[in-house]
Each structure stands twice: as structure tokens, then as C-alpha cells.
Amino acid sequence: MGNEQTLDRLEAKTYRVQGLTCTNCAAKFEQNVKSLPGVKEAKVNFGAAKLTVWGEATIDELEQAGAFEQLTIREERERTVQREPFWKRKENRNVFASVALLLFGVAADAADKGMLAIAMYLAAIVIGGYSLFWTGLRNLVSWQFDMKTLMTIAILGATAIGEWQEGAVVVILFAISEALERYSMENARRSIASLMEMAPVEAIIRRGPEEMTVPVEDVRVGDVMIVKPGGKIALDGIVISGASTVNEAAITGESLPVEKTVGDAVFAGTLNGEGFLEVEVTKRADETTLAKMIDLVEEAQAERAPMQAFVDRFARYYTPFVIVTALLIALVPPLVMGGEWLDWIYRGLAVLVIGCPCALVISTPVAIVTAIGNAARRGVLIKGGVYLEQIGRLRAVALDKTGTLTEGKPAVTNVVVYEGTREQLLAIAAAIEKRSQHPLASAIIRKAEEEGAPFLDASVDAFQSLTGKGVKAAVGNETYYIGSPALFTSLIGKLPDEAEKQISAFRDEGKTVMAVGTTDRLLGLIAAADQLRPSAPETVAALRRLGVAEVVMVTGDHEQTAQAIGRQAGVSDIRAGLLPEQKLSAIRELKQRCGITAMVGDGVNDAPALAAADIGVAMGGAGTDAALETADVVLMADDLRQLPYTVHLGRRTLAVIRQNIAVALGLKVLALVAAVPGWLTLWLAVFADMGATLLVTFNSMRLLRVKE
């Protein structure tokens, strides 16, 4: 507790780490940084390739701590350094020199010049493997048995028994595979890098009469930001002047531009269209929606999934077992059965090499890193490997109605006219409702605007709200009423049979009915409903195709409306009229009956149900801090179609992890079996081990291609 309080008082500084390819290396680098004189605490996020340091340390000191793996350190917000091609990189030049020396050695062998061949092989081993030996020997002294330690023992053993060519081939294969592994891990992490590159580093700000270009870190909340046509929006804010379309794919994954006018929110990293905008900045650079997305993705990639924790525990016992097995293979046959010492030592060394658990340990985290990064680029935030695994095993989904299955705002669906014209009816209703704050009022106004009904200039007097019934006002020389059918029953008595039938039919469809008229006659009916999202039926069908057994709607709305929406959406069960605690009970019952269950809501309401579900999914996270912070999964675009994509990604990720584990263990079992009769050579052992690691990494990278 005391240590945590001390750390709270210290400033934490974050760095990007380039060249981090294995979890063991990440752990070792973390320990090295912790041992630096000015550092109080350090934490390495392997998935995000990020280092957080509490205390004081220079970049030179940090790079020295990572020298065993030739790590490069840079500032947190510094742009990604463009990597040189594989053949031009400094760390790979020695590999090419070693290959050339190996070829000279083979040629010398063919010419029967044994000493020259040995010299060439030895030079290839030293030039290609000196950094490997340096790290491996230090690890051996401290009894740390990682891949480099095992490789060092194997290569030194090979040279000790006169297998010079084998030793050189092993060094070169190992160096090449490490370079390929660095390259593949960089590609796996490119989703985070691409997110970071989306936001500009500078913004055009107007302060008083002057316009200036300043770094985004120096922009203050309340500053006016100028966004030119075709330019990127540097910070979150509210449009105060101008109109344009904005491509928000960076945040929501939705490629279609969104219209923006005065009062609309815009987000850092999004691309302005053809219009000129003035935007009042509402968030600092480190508080924007994009910055929060990057932080959440990186935190998610640092979280260990349950399957990863299991693999790590397995590897702790597996490595010592392999070392003991290698010793037994090297010693028992010569001692007990009179076998040839050099032959059996060679076989033991091969087993030692093949036994390294690198591929097994990396099988889960690289898949998690890739999948979460891919999801973020498509506007879905998954807050950890545990939730990704849960999504992959999802059996039931509970969907809130309002704002999830429906648009979240009422719209006029029907206009029935009994007297006058449709245009007159809408004009009268809109003119009166212009003074009202009721949600249905805005629906009527939108409908009148769509149909061009002339209501804006109408003279409205004596407006009065009739609590629980409706409103009345004088338009022109006559007083009109808008409200529930019950209001008109009290005004004019029994409604016409035709109107009664129409009202009953609308209610059966889950619609709200408003009557329009005077004190003595009914002019018409207006029906409104919170309309089903067009994507809802296809989303429910897609979830069923993905193997989700139950798709249930849970809502506090009344039965008729819920039934109407539920039937249109195609859900398997409808639970209506539920209070928050009843929704909670419904989620618990669903979990008990079906298994892993997700609750999809707006991230603010239905908090108990979201918390009770195995996975809480929030709709519309863009600009909604509460959704970003409370839900396990956030659909940034407020688009239900992102839900089947997320389930599909979870299922694919689980499949890839299982494939990775099977490859990692399967190749090792085959190699171990081949070692006993002597079929497994040292170079083949290295090829199998590092080949498994590369197969696991490249297989995981296939998750970058998962689409809707």
C-alpha cells in the first residue's frame, strides 16, 4: 500500500519499445529497467510494446537495459520510425556476413581444406552469434533458461564435439528467424501504430484576431480551432461555425461521411470534407476520444487472457521437464547401454534446442494483440483478452430495446386525416408542438419539415400544457388540441367508430397515437413510434448463424410496443415491462440456462444488467466517456452490425489460439520422437523450433483480415 502511494506521487513516463518479440524478453527488460539507479518501478506492456517508468532514467540508460535484445526506445507520442528494409537493417548485416562465411566454409570442405573450413565456420559462429552467446552465458551463470541460454549450450556443445558446420548453420538459422520474428511482431502491432498516426501533431488555432499553428499539446480547452477543407481534425470539439461532412472511420470504423453543422461534436483524427469549420476545443490532446481509444487498446493488450495464463503455467513446468529429458538422453544410453558418447550428446543437444517453449508462450498473446488491434481499427473497443475469449464462447445475447434495437427517438409513422388536408393537419400540429418540449413534439416537427408543411410563420397564442393529456393553443382564430385519444373523449364524447378502430390497430403495432382537433370535432390522428433500426433483423439473424443460441430483448417498455419491435427484429424471446432489478434477474436466468451471456445497452442505463452479464456491450461510444469507461466492449459507431463482427472475431481468435497451441506442441512432439533414433539434427531442431514460432505469429496475423 505504501509503495503504491509513493508511486502516485512520482510522475510516470511512458516510452515506445521497438524490437520486443517475446514475453520472456519483456520480463527480463522490465527487471533490467527496475534495477536502474533512478527507477522506483517499471512496467512493460508486451502487446503494445510500451514501457512505463516511475522515477528518473535517460533513453540511453533504458536502451542499455534492453541491449541484450537490441531494443530501441523512443518517446510516447513520438511518431513511428519508418523501419528500413530487412536487408538494410544494422542487426541483420552480421547475418549476411555469416552466410557468406558459411558458404566459404562449405567450399573449403569440398576442396578438402579442413582447417580453412573450420576457420570459416568458427568465424560464422562468432560474427553471427556473439550477441546470442553474450546473453546466453550471462543467463547460464544466473540459471535463467530461456531460448538464448539453450541455444548457447547447443552451439557450444556442437563445437565441442567437432560439429562446426552444424554450429554455424544453427547460428545463422537462429539469427534469421529472430529477424523474421521482429518483423512479424511489428506487423502484428501495426494497428496501434496506425491509430497513433491518425491525429495530427499540430493544429491551427485562432486566438483573438491572430491565427497560429501550434503543437496539439499546447492547445487549451476553449481555443477556437480552424479546420480547412480536406484537413484532419486535431482535437475533440464542438462546431461553432461552418458546415461540412466528416469521415469518422478513424473513430467509428464507418467509412460513410457524417454531416456536421453548428453544435455538432467532432473528434480528433477524423477527416474534414469539403467545408470550412471553426471548432471550439473541448478536450486536451491526451483526453480526446482517440487518445482514450489508444490507451484502452494498449491496456487491453496487456491483460492476460485465461488461456494465456494457463499456457504460461504449463510452460513453467514444461521447460524444466525438457531440460531433464535432454540430460537423460545425453547421459543414460552411454552410461547404461554403452552408447556412443558424442552421438548421444548430440541428440541431447537437439532435444534441448527443440524444447524451448517460445512458440507455445507466444501462441496466445500475439493472437490477442492482433485481434484487439483489428477490432479497434473497425470501431470496436474490446477491453481485454478475457472479454475476447468470452465473446468467442458466447451463447446468449440480451438486447435493450430503446436506442439499441430501435433508433432511440420517435418518428411519425402514420398520418390519418378526417377533415381538411394532410398538409393543414401537419402545419397546425407542428405550429403548436414547436412550443412543446415533449419527444413526440420533435417527431411531428421533423415530419412537417420533411413534407414542407407551412408552420414556421403560423401565429400561435395561448399555448397551454394539459398535464398527462396533451397541449392546446390558438392558431389563427381557432383553438386546437393535440393529445391522447382520451383527451378527445372528454372533449367531444365518443370518437367515431372508424377512429376507434384505427387507434386500436396503431396500438397493436406498438405505436403511440396523438389526436388533433378542436373542442367539437376530430381533425385527424398522428401515430409515432421509436422505429426499429434497419440493421436489427440482419444482426439478429447473423448472431444465430454464428451459433448464438438465444437472442433476447429486455425492456422496460410496455408489452404491446415490445412485442411489435421484437417480432420485427426476430428475437427468440421478449421480456417487457422490466424494472432495472428485473432486468438483472433476467440476465442471471439467461446465464444459468445458456452459459456465457452478453448484455447490449447504451452504456449508461441498465448498469446492473450490464454488470451482471459476462460481457457488457455499450452502443455508441464515440464521444461518450461513460460508455468508454463502464462497458467491456464498446461499439463506437452506434451500429448493431458491429456486434456479429465482434462475435465472429472472438470465435476466430479462439480457433487461431487452439491452432497455435497445436502447432507449437505438435512440432515439438514430432521433433522429440525423431530425436530418439537420431533423425533430428541440430539445424533441423532450430528450424522446427523457430519455424513453429513464426508459424504461430503469421497464423495470428491472419486475424488482421477478419471483416464484417
Side-chain angles (χ1 to χ4, degrees):
M1 186 72 175
N3 186 44
E4 288 179 7
Q5 291 173 346
T6 304
L7 291 179
D8 288 340
R9 290 195 294 269
L10 290 171
E11 183 182 355
K13 191 155 186 186
T14 305
Y15 303 88
R16 299 284 159 186
V17 185
Q18 208 157 321
L20 203 59
T21 58
C22 71
T23 52
N24 287 336
C25 301
K28 184 175 179 180
F29 177 51
E30 183 176 285
Q31 288 302 318
N32 288 354
V33 174
K34 285 179 180 178
S35 65
L36 293 174
V39 174
K40 301 297 181 187
E41 184 59 83
K43 184 178 180 182
V44 173
N45 179 334
F46 170 72
K50 191 165 82 168
L51 166 69
T52 305
V53 176
W54 289 265
E56 296 294 328
T58 65
I59 286 183
D60 285 342
E61 287 175 324
L62 295 174
E63 288 194 338
Q64 189 58 40
F68 69 96
E69 193 70 4
Q70 299 176 344
L71 302 180
T72 303
I73 313 298
R74 55 189 172 83
E75 296 285 347
E76 157 92 70
R77 296 295 172 191
E78 188 180 323
R79 294 290 165 169
T80 305
V81 178
Q82 188 65 39
R83 295 297 303 238
E84 291 181 310
F86 179 84
W87 55 89
K88 287 186 178 179
R89 294 186 188 181
K90 179 183 174 183
E91 63 264 29
N92 297 333
R93 289 175 191 161
N94 290 346
V95 179
F96 296 116
S98 296
V99 170
L101 289 166
L102 174 64
L103 293 175
F104 282 130
V106 171
D109 246 344
D112 206 19
K113 295 183 179 180
M115 292 306 296
L116 179 60
I118 290 173
M120 291 294 104
Y121 293 143
L122 182 58
I125 290 170
V126 172
I127 291 172
Y130 75 90
S131 62
L132 162 67
F133 299 142
W134 180 246
T135 305
L137 289 170
R138 282 194 305 179
N139 289 349
L140 190 57
V141 170
S142 57
W143 289 91
Q144 294 178 16
F145 289 94
D146 65 3
M147 183 62 189
K148 291 190 175 180
T149 312
L150 301 181
M151 290 296 298
T152 299
I153 294 170
I155 294 164
L156 291 176
T159 56
I161 62 176
E163 295 287 348
W164 299 99
Q165 188 183 53
E166 290 265 329
V169 171
V170 166
V171 164
I172 291 166
L173 281 175
F174 182 74
I176 291 172
S177 61
E178 282 226 307
L180 288 171
E181 196 176 339
R182 277 193 295 271
Y183 171 77
S184 59
M185 277 306 297
E186 285 166 13
N187 280 351
R189 293 187 179 110
R190 69 185 177 193
S191 52
I192 295 177
S194 64
L195 283 175
M196 291 182 67
E197 296 296 318
M198 286 174 180
V201 293
E202 294 179 327
I204 302 172
I205 299 297
R206 190 180 71 229
R207 289 175 180 159
E210 186 181 357
E211 287 186 11
M212 61 191 81
T213 301
V214 299
V216 290
E217 291 81 7
D218 297 336
V219 179
R220 301 186 294 263
V221 172
D223 279 343
V224 175
M225 179 171 59
I226 306 299
V227 186
K228 295 179 180 179
K232 272 191 176 181
I233 297 170
L235 296 149
D236 287 10
I238 301 292
V239 178
I240 58 173
S241 176
S244 185
T245 57
V246 175
N247 186 330
E248 295 185 338
I251 301 293
T252 65
E254 175 56 64
S255 58
L256 291 177
V258 180
E259 290 187 8
K260 299 288 181 180
T261 57
V262 173
D264 289 336
V266 292
F267 307 107
T270 56
L271 185 64
N272 186 27
E274 72 289 344
F276 181 89
L277 297 176
E278 292 188 3
V279 176
E280 182 181 335
V281 176
T282 56
K283 290 180 181 177
R284 298 199 317 262
D286 59 347
E287 295 175 340
T288 64
T289 301
L290 181 61
K292 284 185 179 178
M293 280 179 64
I294 293 168
D295 289 340
L296 286 169
V297 171
E298 291 180 334
E299 287 170 17
Q301 292 180 329
E303 292 289 328
R304 294 204 313 169
M307 197 174 285
Q308 182 182 345
F310 166 76
V311 168
D312 289 347
R313 284 196 306 272
F314 178 78
R316 279 204 301 270
Y317 297 102
Y318 167 82
T319 305
F321 168 77
V322 167
I323 292 171
V324 171
T325 302
L327 279 172
L328 291 174
I329 288 174
L331 298 176
V332 171
L335 289 173
V336 177
M337 297 180 288
E340 179 64 39
W341 276 100
L342 292 183
D343 180 36
W344 285 100
I345 288 172
Y346 181 88
R347 297 186 197 188
L349 292 173
V351 169
L352 200 63
V353 170
I354 197 64
C356 181
C358 283
L360 183 63
V361 170
I362 208 172
S363 60
T364 303
V366 73
I368 298 293
V369 166
T370 307
I372 289 177
N374 179 23
R377 287 195 300 156
R378 297 183 184 279
V380 178
L381 290 186
I382 302 171
K383 292 191 178 177
V386 61
Y387 305 117
L388 189 60
E389 278 199 26
Q390 297 273 52
I391 292 164
R393 298 189 175 98
L394 195 65
R395 297 296 302 150
V397 175
L399 296 155
D400 185 33
K401 181 184 78 71
T402 306
T404 301
L405 281 171
T406 65
E407 298 283 3
K409 58 183 181 182
V412 171
T413 57
N414 305 86
V415 178
V416 179
V417 181
Y418 296 122
E419 186 176 317
T421 67
R422 181 187 178 94
E423 184 181 84
Q424 289 171 340
L425 185 72
L426 283 173
I428 291 167
I432 296 172
E433 294 289 14
K434 192 169 61 172
R435 307 265 180 117
S436 174
Q437 298 297 316
H438 196 280
L440 292 174
S442 58
I444 291 173
I445 292 167
R446 283 196 303 273
K447 188 67 173 176
E449 288 173 341
E450 286 171 13
E451 299 198 7
F455 70 94
L456 293 173
D457 298 327
S459 173
V460 180
D461 298 303
F463 178 87
Q464 183 182 347
S465 176
L466 307 172
T467 306
K469 295 180 179 179
V471 294
K472 73 172 184 176
V475 180
N477 298 319
E478 189 159 10
T479 298
Y480 293 95
Y481 292 79
I482 303 176
S484 65
L487 170 64
F488 281 84
T489 302
S490 65
L491 289 173
I492 65 176
K494 187 178 183 303
L495 298 179
D497 290 343
E498 184 183 354
E500 290 279 13
K501 287 179 182 176
Q502 191 66 72
I503 290 166
S504 178
F506 284 148
R507 283 178 172 165
D508 287 342
E509 294 170 8
K511 297 174 182 177
T512 301
V513 185
M514 294 163 284
V516 183
T518 64
T519 52
D520 57 2
R521 65 191 193 278
L522 180 68
L523 300 179
L525 301 173
I526 298 175
D530 183 7
Q531 291 185 302
L532 186 74
R533 289 177 185 263
S535 59
E538 65 180 90
T539 296
V540 172
L543 289 172
R544 286 223 174 90
R545 286 195 299 272
L546 286 165
V548 177
E550 290 274 355
V551 183
V552 179
M553 184 177 77
V554 291
T555 179
D557 212 337
H558 57 77
E559 186 72 28
Q560 281 181 312
T561 301
Q563 288 291 339
I565 293 294
R567 283 195 300 270
Q568 292 176 59
V571 297
S572 52
D573 193 7
I574 299 164
R575 315 272 180 96
L578 302 180
L579 297 171
E581 57 269 23
Q582 292 172 317
K583 284 189 180 182
L584 179 64
S585 299
I587 295 295
R588 285 175 175 163
E589 184 270 327
L590 206 55
K591 284 171 65 176
Q592 188 173 8
R593 182 161 53 86
C594 299
I596 293 174
T597 299
M599 169 69 191
V600 187
D602 61 11
V604 180
N605 300 326
D606 305 316
L610 284 166
D614 296 296
I615 309 146
V617 182
M619 295 283 293
T624 310
D625 290 343
L628 286 173
E629 289 165 12
T630 57
D632 304 320
V633 176
V634 184
L635 310 182
M636 299 294 288
D638 194 26
D639 186 350
L640 263 182
R641 288 172 298 182
Q642 289 179 320
L643 186 59
Y645 156 74
T646 308
V647 175
H648 177 49
L649 179 65
R651 299 240 197 287
R652 285 288 301 275
T653 303
L654 278 183
V656 163
I657 290 172
R658 292 187 186 109
Q659 291 162 10
N660 286 350
I661 292 172
V663 166
L665 289 176
L667 280 178
K668 291 187 186 302
V669 169
L670 286 173
L672 287 170
V673 169
V676 177
W679 300 336
L680 183 67
T681 60
L682 265 179
W683 66 266
L684 190 58
V686 175
F687 192 79
D689 180 75
M690 299 313 295
T693 303
L694 292 173
L695 278 173
V696 159
T697 306
F698 288 128
N699 188 45
S700 298
M701 286 172 61
R702 291 192 304 121
L703 292 169
L704 287 171
R705 299 200 300 269
V706 176
K707 298 179 181 179
E708 292 81 354

